[in-house]
Amino acid sequence: MVAKEALHKVQMDKRRHRYNKVERPENVIAMKLDASYFFERGMRFLQRNDLARAVKAFQRTVEYEPDNPVHYCNLAGVLAELGDFEASNELLHYVLEHMDPHMSECWFYLANNYANLGDYDAAEEHLLRYLDVDPDGEYAAEAEEMLCILIDEFGGGRALERRRREEARVETMQAIQDGRYFLENGQFEVAVEWLEQVVAADPAHIAARNNLSLAYYYTGHYDKALAMAESVLERQPDNLHALCNRALLLQHFGDEERLRRAVEPLQKVIPLHPDIAMKVAITLGFVGRHAEALAAFRRLARLVPPDHPMLLHGLAAAHANLGNLTSAEVLWRQLSRHEDCARVADYHLERVRQARAAGLASVSVSYQLDIPVEMQLAEVRDRLQTSSPDEWKRDPLLRASLYWSLRHGDREVRQRVIRALAVVGDGDAEQALRSFLTRSDIDASLQEQTLVALKRMGAKGPVRIWRAAGPIEMRLEDVRQDIILDLQPQWREVWDLAAEWLTARGLRALVGQALRFWLTYLYDDLFLDLRKRIVKPESWAAGLLYVVLRYANVPVVQRDLAAQFRVSVSSLSKCSSRMEQVVLRAGWRARRSREE
């Protein structure tokens, strides 16, 4: 009852107020039959609570001035007072559809009527529509209050949830159009391909050009990235996104003089939008202007909550780079209260502790709110073993780290990334590996590992690969499935031992199946973990043969087979068990794929 009384009070207070939308004329000539005369009569009848005669008076105002939407609203209000909410709604919809679509108060009146009809979802929809078109309107406070009552007391919220889903859908569609969606999800290769098409179709699309500049940067096409940033600045010299992109790229190229000139406008500007202010501050930090970055982050503090994670880390990073370690510690301790950022904060707090122990005055810290790439890559294998790739392969920061490391990491890091991308296995990971093959600074072994990763992903079609004489093109279908044997001498030795044993005993018919088993195990297990080593090929050859012979229903005794290869029964059993688990899992996965 309390909720209904509160809702009724909001409705009645505003309904009474709506009759004052037309000011009372000061000089009315008696008995002059016009809209003003009947408006005055209607108001007097309302004051006497004579609603039936008030309706007739307001109907006459409509007859005299049929093009005045205010008269229709007044009549709709009196009909609502009489309880004829449907007739009131017809008039209000007529005003919006045929007279004045910008008369936003009609949405509020409609919401009142639908609430009285018990259609709370419709009432909620119309309140949201009113707040959309006139968020600072005359009835905005009352609309917010009524919306809260509908949601809290009448079980509403469905319309609000639908509105939020639709807004999210529209935002996603817009993000896809300007490439933000792919960048935010770490799909940089896809972003390049998509945004090149967008820019070609619409050269004036500034957001797409800025995002394409970033996509080029993330995929290592630095010349193209800089050219794209410059193209934006030719069209809009003050575009802050392009100014930031250009500064980052000039820092990469080491062009200090051009960088100095590029940074000047970023030091002077004071953005009012939080996202742009954040980008300017981070850019200043990335290009080594730590004092200016600190000032920019302090200005940002006026635009975002004081415990914003990126603000806290940005301030801490600036202080640490400037040698203000105590201030940095305080900020990282605050950051550690955010559950998602605790590891980052703890990592940097430990670095500060180590710096103090070593007598260092400052700590070089990245402004990116993330743990270093090396730490992330060290976790890749564990995450592959303990969780589904779907749980982390869409992580934009991890994906960005993988791509960055594929381009800039040392040999071991690149090998880890190749294997991680083989498991991610989506189109963007495939494109990243294809692009990696075109590089001239990778050796034949890394090329083979990349081809193995692409084979594992089931990639098909042409691929360009760098050779001594320049790039050549080949089809992935033409790459031997057993190319994986070339990656480790022990892997090929195991196969040679097994094939020789089968051939010597007249079992050549089982050679093909044995090869399939061994390749399955290599692709699905050994290839994915750099730390796994085959110490004694004889144990694995015996294990492989034991599995193959059992599957072919050929009588075999573990002890006899182990003796022939001079290995222990336990070693043979261990190897065969591990191999059989992987082969069975791969077979189940293949069957499920065919069923789907």
Side-chain angles (χ1 to χ4, degrees):
M1 289 299 295
V2 174
K4 288 189 176 181
E5 290 173 3
L7 181 61
H8 183 68
K9 181 179 184 302
V10 172
Q11 296 167 339
M12 294 301 294
D13 287 348
K14 302 319 298 177
R15 189 173 291 128
R16 292 290 185 186
H17 181 65
R18 74 165 65 104
Y19 304 125
N20 295 325
K21 295 296 287 185
V22 174
E23 295 183 0
R24 180 189 294 268
E26 296 179 358
N27 300 309
V28 178
I29 300 174
M31 298 304 293
K32 181 179 179 181
L33 302 181
D34 58 10
S36 296
Y37 169 76
F38 285 105
F39 172 78
E40 290 288 340
R41 283 177 61 82
M43 292 300 296
R44 286 198 296 272
F45 289 135
L46 275 178
Q47 290 169 358
R48 301 170 191 168
N49 206 31
D50 190 345
L51 299 180
R53 298 176 73 181
V55 165
K56 292 179 180 180
F58 284 116
Q59 284 174 337
R60 297 300 297 275
T61 65
V62 170
E63 293 172 5
Y64 276 99
E65 292 184 0
D67 297 327
N68 190 334
V70 174
H71 296 321
Y72 288 82
C73 289
N74 288 330
L75 177 57
V78 181
L79 290 171
E81 295 281 3
L82 283 168
D84 194 349
F85 302 111
E86 292 180 353
S88 176
N89 284 349
E90 288 182 11
L91 288 171
L92 293 170
H93 280 299
Y94 181 82
V95 170
L96 288 169
E97 294 168 13
H98 302 287
M99 301 186 72
D100 185 359
H102 302 295
M103 201 165 184
S104 58
E105 57 265 38
C106 289
W107 298 107
F108 180 72
Y109 303 153
L110 284 163
N112 279 272
N113 289 346
Y114 281 117
N116 280 291
L117 287 168
D119 191 346
Y120 300 128
D121 281 351
E124 190 180 336
E125 287 276 10
H126 287 82
L127 286 172
L128 291 170
R129 183 65 181 271
Y130 171 72
L131 291 170
D132 276 347
V133 299
D134 200 1
D136 300 315
E138 181 182 1
Y139 304 127
E142 289 81 359
E144 294 279 5
E145 179 184 355
M146 187 174 171
L147 189 61
C148 290
I149 293 172
L150 288 171
I151 293 174
D152 296 340
E153 306 295 341
F154 291 90
R158 289 177 292 277
L160 181 59
E161 180 60 29
R162 285 196 298 272
R163 178 66 57 88
R164 287 173 176 166
R165 286 199 302 269
E166 176 60 20
E167 289 173 350
R169 187 192 68 80
V170 171
E171 169 62 20
T172 298
M173 293 302 295
Q174 180 58 45
I176 290 174
Q177 177 60 30
D178 61 28
R180 282 182 296 116
Y181 175 85
F182 303 114
L183 291 176
E184 290 168 359
N185 286 278
Q187 296 175 272
F188 305 121
E189 304 288 349
V190 171
V192 167
E193 184 178 351
W194 169 257
L195 287 168
E196 284 180 340
Q197 297 176 29
V198 173
V199 170
D202 183 7
H205 198 317
I206 297 299
R209 284 183 172 273
N210 275 325
N211 288 332
L212 180 54
S213 179
L214 286 174
Y216 280 143
Y217 176 72
Y218 290 135
T219 53
H221 299 99
Y222 303 114
D223 291 330
K224 288 184 177 181
L226 182 57
M228 188 57 62
E230 296 284 7
S231 76
V232 174
L233 293 172
E234 288 173 4
R235 292 168 170 80
Q236 294 184 359
D238 297 327
N239 188 288
L240 285 174
H241 288 291
L243 288 170
C244 289
N245 293 345
R246 180 176 66 177
L248 288 171
L249 287 158
L250 291 174
Q251 167 78 0
H252 170 80
F253 285 116
D255 192 335
E256 187 58 36
E257 179 55 31
R258 290 183 65 193
L259 175 61
R260 183 187 62 77
R261 295 196 300 271
V263 168
E264 285 180 1
L266 297 178
Q267 294 172 332
K268 298 174 182 177
V269 72
I270 303 179
L272 299 179
H273 191 284
D275 291 343
I276 297 177
M278 182 77 73
K279 182 166 185 175
V280 169
I282 291 175
T283 300
L284 289 169
F286 269 123
V287 299
R289 271 54 174 184
H290 303 302
E292 292 82 357
L294 180 60
F297 278 112
R298 283 172 171 166
R299 289 193 295 270
L300 175 64
R302 305 170 192 166
L303 305 175
V304 300
D307 63 343
H308 191 292
M310 293 188 70
L311 172 65
L312 292 174
H313 178 69
L315 287 168
H319 278 300
N321 284 302
L322 289 168
N324 306 324
L325 298 184
T326 301
S327 298
E329 276 185 311
V330 171
L331 290 159
W332 275 319
R333 287 197 183 97
Q334 293 180 46
L335 181 64
S336 67
R337 297 170 191 163
H338 292 266
E339 183 177 352
D340 295 340
C341 303
R343 291 188 62 218
V344 179
D346 291 343
Y347 169 79
H348 289 297
L349 286 169
E350 176 60 21
R351 288 195 65 203
V352 170
R353 187 193 66 76
Q354 293 175 358
R356 283 208 171 99
L360 300 178
S362 65
V363 178
S364 178
V365 176
S366 169
Y367 286 80
Q368 184 171 334
L369 181 58
D370 197 16
I371 60 176
V373 170
E374 291 77 11
M375 290 184 63
Q376 293 189 34
L377 290 170
E379 295 175 354
V380 168
R381 176 190 171 277
D382 293 337
R383 296 180 75 172
L384 288 175
Q385 297 297 327
T386 59
S387 61
S388 166
D390 287 337
E391 296 179 21
W392 59 268
K393 70 181 183 182
R394 298 189 186 92
D395 183 338
L397 291 176
L398 177 59
R399 187 183 285 259
S401 298
L402 292 176
Y403 292 164
W404 187 269
S405 300
L406 187 62
R407 293 187 296 274
H408 303 288
D410 58 26
R411 180 180 180 79
E412 183 176 351
V413 166
R414 284 176 166 176
Q415 290 182 94
R416 288 184 179 276
V417 172
I418 289 169
R419 285 155 172 76
L421 292 176
V423 176
V424 172
D426 60 17
D428 200 58
E430 178 183 333
Q431 187 58 45
L433 291 173
R434 286 175 176 271
S435 297
F436 184 62
L437 279 175
T438 65
R439 296 180 58 132
S440 60
D441 62 339
I442 61 174
D443 58 32
S445 176
L446 282 175
Q447 290 177 344
E448 288 177 345
Q449 292 177 55
T450 306
L451 289 171
V452 168
L454 289 169
K455 295 289 284 185
R456 186 186 189 278
M457 295 163 63
K460 299 183 183 303
V463 62
R464 292 173 64 82
I465 186 168
W466 191 271
R467 297 299 192 198
I472 64 170
E473 188 171 290
M474 66 174 67
R475 292 183 57 79
L476 286 168
E477 293 89 334
D478 297 333
V479 177
R480 308 181 337 266
Q481 190 73 8
D482 66 355
I483 186 178
I484 195 170
L485 297 176
D486 298 336
L487 299 186
Q488 294 285 344
Q490 296 87 351
W491 296 357
R492 181 167 290 281
E493 186 177 353
V494 169
W495 169 240
D496 288 343
L497 288 170
E500 181 182 344
W501 189 94
L502 289 170
T503 302
R505 285 156 182 78
L507 297 172
R508 290 186 61 86
L510 298 181
V511 170
Q513 185 175 0
L515 181 59
R516 287 193 296 273
F517 273 40
W518 183 233
L519 293 181
T520 297
Y521 183 68
L522 292 179
Y523 274 100
D524 274 41
D525 190 84
L526 290 184
F527 174 68
L528 300 180
D529 192 343
L530 284 173
R531 293 182 294 181
K532 286 185 177 179
R533 294 285 186 270
I534 289 182
V535 178
K536 194 167 186 178
E538 292 80 3
S539 297
W540 286 94
L544 171 62
L545 289 169
Y546 182 72
V547 173
V548 172
L549 293 171
R550 283 183 57 225
Y551 271 73
N553 295 318
V554 176
V556 60
V557 178
Q558 278 191 357
R559 184 172 55 255
D560 296 341
L561 195 57
Q564 292 178 39
F565 282 91
R566 299 180 180 179
V567 298
S568 67
V569 174
S570 62
S571 295
L572 183 155
S573 178
K574 179 180 178 181
C575 293
S576 63
S577 177
R578 286 172 56 182
M579 200 177 310
E580 191 167 19
Q581 290 177 10
V582 171
V583 170
L584 287 172
R585 186 170 64 242
W588 173 82
R589 187 168 60 247
R591 287 194 301 274
R592 185 179 64 174
S593 178
R594 287 194 298 270
E595 290 169 359
E596 292 174 350

